[in-house]
Amino acid sequence: MLILLQSVWILTSIRRVAMQMVFDISQDELPIFLAEVDEHLQTLDETLVELEHRSDDSDLLQNAFRAAHTLKGMAGMIGHHRMTNLTHALETAFDGLRKAQYSVSTALIDLCLDAVDGLRALREEVIKGTLSDYDPQPLIEAFAEFNAVGEHQPKEKRVEIPPAPAVPQSPPTHSNGKKEFHIQARIDPRSVASAARAFQLMMALQELGEIVSMQPTLEEIETAQPVQTFWAQLITPATADQILQKLGQISEIEKIDVQADGDGRSLAAINESKTTPPEQTSPAEKPEAQAQAAPVSQPGRSRSNGSGGRGVEMTVRTSVERLDSLMNLVGELITDRNHLFQVRNKLEAQAHNDPLVENLAETVAHISRITDQLQEEVMRIRMLPIGNLLHKFPRMVRDMSQKAGKLVDVVIHGEDTELDRSMIEEINDPLIHLVRNAIDHGIEPPEERRAAGKPERGTVTLNAWHEQGRIILTVSDDGRGIDPSVLRKKVVQKGLMTAEEAAALSDEQAVDLIFLPGFSTAEKVTDISGRGVGMDIVQTNIQRVNGTIHIETAVGRGTTFQIVLPLTLAIVPTLLVRVGSATFAIPLVMVLETLRLSPADIKTIRQKPVTMLRGSVLPLVYLSELFNIPQNGTQRKRLFAVVIQSGKHRVGLVVDGFMGEEEVVVKSLGKLVGEIPGISSAAILGDGSITLIVDVPALLRLAGIH
Amino acid sequence: MTKILIVDDAEFLRVRIIKMLTGQGFEVYEAENGAKAVEKYKEVRPDVVLMDITMPEMDGLAALKEIRAFDSQAKVVMLTALGQESVVLEAVKSGARDFIVKPFEHDRVMSAIHKLAG
């Protein structure tokens, strides 16, 4: 074990070293860097796609500019030069748009989006800590072409500073102790805003006295063009040393000359600048810098390092693992609470009016409330707005519709709707698939839409909201809809059904055929909808998280997929049912209602048991038969059924009795038990017994209903 | 102890500067946009402010003006990038005491702070 740990440690330290060699970033900074880069790339994706339609929206442009600008700064800080260059090109493009040097075009947006993709590739390098062969140069050159077209005049025009005028022939005399100085300062040519340094020099001198003349002039400085040499004639009561000291406070000044009254005496000071490595700091500055640096770097005074010194933080960062384990603990607590309830009930039955028992009952009630609150709070911590997931769709839709030769807009509602982060991960793929389908199969090509009297541009709408403790998600398109008769033909062609079977299907059932494994309605396999991996996978994925999916469609008008999801995966509200001596938990999200049945209520149609429920036929499934549970007493007077809904199927599950509702904490069956058809997982009940959680869709497949 | 307020919308940059400055024994506070910077300035009265220019909510220039209106002696150093010459000039005119270009070096930040805090 120790050896293993050691080798892991060695591996991680090797990785760290490798990482540091490529980029200047430490392991603890890495997650922050990556998350932030991701966020800005996402912003770029979104704003770029929006910008194509709303090119006059200056806020959008400002957001895009800011994202590119921040990314550039971050890339620079870790020394990722290609990333810096590419973001710089992007930023320059946005700046050109801001200044209306050129306008938004599809070609430019394409180029910008390519750059965003390029940045993603470069971000990967930071994750891996190695360089890839991605070369942003072609993109940077393409950006340069745009800029060349847009730019009116070369930017690097320097204001020619005439040489400093000679010392005046007749120096004016000044009474009241004032003297005249000629000051010349050289600004570091690498300063990004040398005009601002000139301005600072001017302000500093104005504080000391009166500037008689100055080169460049204030007007010239205000053009913000680069300034290399600053010259001024100053009348001041201050001494040359005071002037030097004052100007020495300004950064990026390479050299200062102060000449008094034309007496030819020159005082020179070399200021700190980027040219000077820290070890070679000029003697003039060194004592000062040391004097100030020394006290603060004393170990005794750096007591406030870390938490103490930082301002009060309103947020903390924590890992997903920690949240998961917190959720697990809360789950255990809920199990115990349920157990406590049962103990209390037994005690109350045994010892009526015992003040001790009453006392216990009160405490249990209180613990129960607190546990509920705790669960709610923990769940809230784990919640993320679904916007995190939905925001990538505008970009995706743009790419997909371009490939499919269609014109598609995206509308997103309810991006603030929150759901458990694990749920967000689970529904990512199904959502992508639904959106792809909407573009590939739903929305018609522009000509077809025009011919049908529809607007050329189709719309895909993503909507999310909370409803009674569930999340509803819809993906709608205003395309051609799903034609049940086409599906009936298809299913026969594919040999999945006979012509009679297909003809017997209701329109709704026919539409549901798209959920059949191996059923795809695309005429040809396209780049977008993929091959074969179809709606059946989508449905399976959603059902795996105890969700359901329905289709609403109207030929010629469009299709809506509605996904209903529980708030969390970890704790499931269930209905407990008894079958023989076994207990099963049925997720409440699947339960429509419960029924009492007498043997007379049960009829047989085509050798299958059914019952009539408010005038329509309800197929019955005996849980005891499905799970081979022996029944004692063949003739039961009273039976119970749980009416469940899975997709479009409504079925009555016949059970021996109900044991109430309980929130159960989901436990995986683990590798030892493996997969049991019709069972999704297990849970420990309040009384310590174990129950199996029914996987309703799988159960229905097991029962041959589909 | 010298108090520094670092204002930048990029958390990564704040984290990096905070690490650099707390290592030198400074008391460091942070804000993620101009509006919060003004608030924080009034609350903690830092000796030196290091402030990004391009930020959401309130940009660095607007925040600089508000801070200087509240405290005419405020020592604000702007953090900038290439291509912002005129904004930097505007900032200096509005009372910024210095500016540093990103990506900045440790020594450049330290020297800017020492010049102002000394």
Side-chain angles (χ1 to χ4, degrees), chain A residues 290-469:
Chain A
Q290 276 180 347
Q292 285 171 5
V296 284
S297 55
Q298 275 168 13
R301 298 192 58 177
S302 55
R303 182 165 39 95
S304 69
N305 284 5
S307 59
R310 286 179 66 167
V312 181
E313 287 245 336
M314 300 312 283
T315 55
V316 289
R317 189 177 293 275
T318 186
S319 68
V320 178
E321 288 81 32
R322 202 165 275 181
L323 283 184
D324 283 345
S325 88
L326 191 58
M327 193 65 172
N328 262 331
L329 289 173
V330 170
E332 298 292 336
L333 202 56
I334 287 170
T335 308
D336 283 343
R337 186 227 16 218
N338 295 347
H339 192 191
L340 265 181
F341 270 143
Q342 296 188 340
V343 172
R344 179 201 62 188
N345 291 347
K346 278 181 194 156
L347 273 177
E348 276 178 340
Q350 277 172 18
H352 251 327
N353 299 329
D354 184 333
L356 258 182
V357 173
E358 268 173 31
N359 205 335
L360 178 76
E362 268 170 34
T363 313
V364 169
H366 187 245
I367 285 182
S368 164
R369 271 201 309 279
I370 302 289
T371 312
D372 283 345
Q373 281 172 11
L374 185 63
Q375 183 200 338
E376 208 170 289
E377 287 298 322
V378 174
M379 269 174 62
R380 203 168 291 162
I381 299 174
R382 293 171 50 94
M383 295 287 205
L384 283 179
I386 196 166
N388 291 353
L389 184 62
L390 299 185
H391 284 161
K392 68 178 174 207
F393 281 102
R395 165 79 198 269
M396 209 180 276
V397 168
R398 184 186 185 272
D399 291 357
M400 290 177 191
S401 52
Q402 248 181 9
K403 269 187 194 156
K406 294 175 183 179
L407 301 169
V408 187
D409 292 328
V410 196
V411 178
I412 294 173
H413 296 296
E415 52 259 77
D416 294 335
T417 310
E418 292 191 325
L419 69 166
D420 195 283
R421 54 167 305 127
S422 53
M423 196 72 84
I424 286 191
E425 284 156 24
E426 293 288 338
I427 59 168
N428 179 46
D429 292 356
L431 270 186
I432 292 176
H433 203 87
L434 289 177
V435 170
R436 275 189 173 153
N437 270 336
I439 294 166
D440 210 28
H441 308 314
I443 307 279
E444 313 89 332
E447 320 81 62
E448 200 181 320
R449 290 181 67 89
R450 238 194 337 259
K454 289 173 156 185
E456 272 193 0
R457 303 192 69 85
T459 306
V460 172
T461 309
L462 295 160
N463 203 347
W465 69 93
H466 268 172
E467 199 176 285
Q468 297 175 343

Side-chain angles (χ1 to χ4, degrees), chain A residues 335 339 342 684-690:
Chain A
T335 308
H339 192 191
Q342 296 188 340
I684 300 165
L685 296 179
D687 61 5
S689 66
I690 290 172

Side-chain angles (χ1 to χ4, degrees), chain A residues 24 29 36 69 76-77 192 197 199-200 222 249 251 272 278 292 296 301 305 309-311 313 317, chain B residues 1 10-12 16 22 24 28-30 54 82 85 93 97-99 101 103 107-108 114-115 118:
Chain A
D24 175 19
E29 290 171 332
E36 223 161 2
H69 179 81
M77 288 304 291
V192 286
R197 294 298 179 204
F199 193 88
Q200 281 188 295
E222 281 183 340
Q249 292 294 306
S251 302
E272 153 269 355
Q292 285 171 5
V296 284
R301 298 192 58 177
N305 284 5
R310 286 179 66 167
E313 287 245 336
R317 189 177 293 275
Chain B
M1 188 173 299
E11 186 187 1
F12 171 70
R16 182 159 276 201
T22 47
Q24 298 286 322
V28 190
Y29 297 84
E30 59 182 313
T54 317
L82 292 170
E85 294 83 354
K93 281 184 178 177
R97 297 288 287 270
D98 201 348
F99 55 89
V101 183
D107 297 319
R108 182 69 189 84
H114 288 316
K115 276 183 180 177

